[in-house]
């Protein structure tokens, strides 16, 4: 049983989903994405939720079930919120600051490290 594949994907406001000819097309304020589906997987839209299902319980269908659910979930997130990366610095004696367009890291080395 795929625990990830069973979970429905909520569709945020402003995101549209189309499934035609084995291709899932997701469009939103940040862009458009599409993903070709394997024949073992079906995708339906029910009450602002996307449901990914498999046609049988074969080993390939089970393995693709969770994969395609996560791929479609990432597509919905990408067209609605976009990509972001968060840096967490943990510990005592570390310091990070912005200087213009550069990030300056003071991590205990003899010189600070600058990244554009």
């Amino acid at each position: 049983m795929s625990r990830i594949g069973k979970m429905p994907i909520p569709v945020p406001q402003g995101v549209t989903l189309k499934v035609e000819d084995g291709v899932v097309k997701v469009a939103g304020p940040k862009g458009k994405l599409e993903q070709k589906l394997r024949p073992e997987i079906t995708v339906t839209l029910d009450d602002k939720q996307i449901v990914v299902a498999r046609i049988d319980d074969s080993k390939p269908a089970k393995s693709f079930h969770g994969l395609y659910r996560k791929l479609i979930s990432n597509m919905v997130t990408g067209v609605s919120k976009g990509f972001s990366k968060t840096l967490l610095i943990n510990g005592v004696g570390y310091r990070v600051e912005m200087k213009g367009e550069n990030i300056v890291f003071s991590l205990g080395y003899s010189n600070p490290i600058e990244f554009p």
Side-chain angles (χ1 to χ4, degrees), residues 17-67:
L17 174 93
K18 291 181 186 175
V19 182
E20 46 191 38
D21 298 330
V23 177
V24 175
K25 296 179 182 180
V26 180
K30 301 265 183 192
K32 298 177 184 177
L33 295 171
E34 57 183 57
Q35 174 68 46
K36 189 174 179 184
L37 291 175
R38 299 273 307 202
E40 296 96 347
I41 304 299
T42 60
V43 177
T44 57
L45 181 63
D46 298 329
D47 297 328
K48 293 290 184 178
Q49 288 186 340
I50 303 168
V51 178
V52 180
R54 59 182 184 249
I55 58 170
D56 58 9
D57 286 336
S58 65
K59 188 168 175 88
K62 287 180 179 180
S63 60
F64 288 125
H65 189 200
L67 171 71

Side-chain angles (χ1 to χ4, degrees), residues 82-102:
F83 176 77
S84 67
K85 198 169 198 175
T86 305
L87 176 66
L88 297 176
I89 298 177
N90 223 351
V92 178
Y94 303 124
R95 193 177 77 205
V96 178
E97 59 184 323
M98 287 289 294
K99 282 193 177 174
E101 293 292 317
N102 294 334

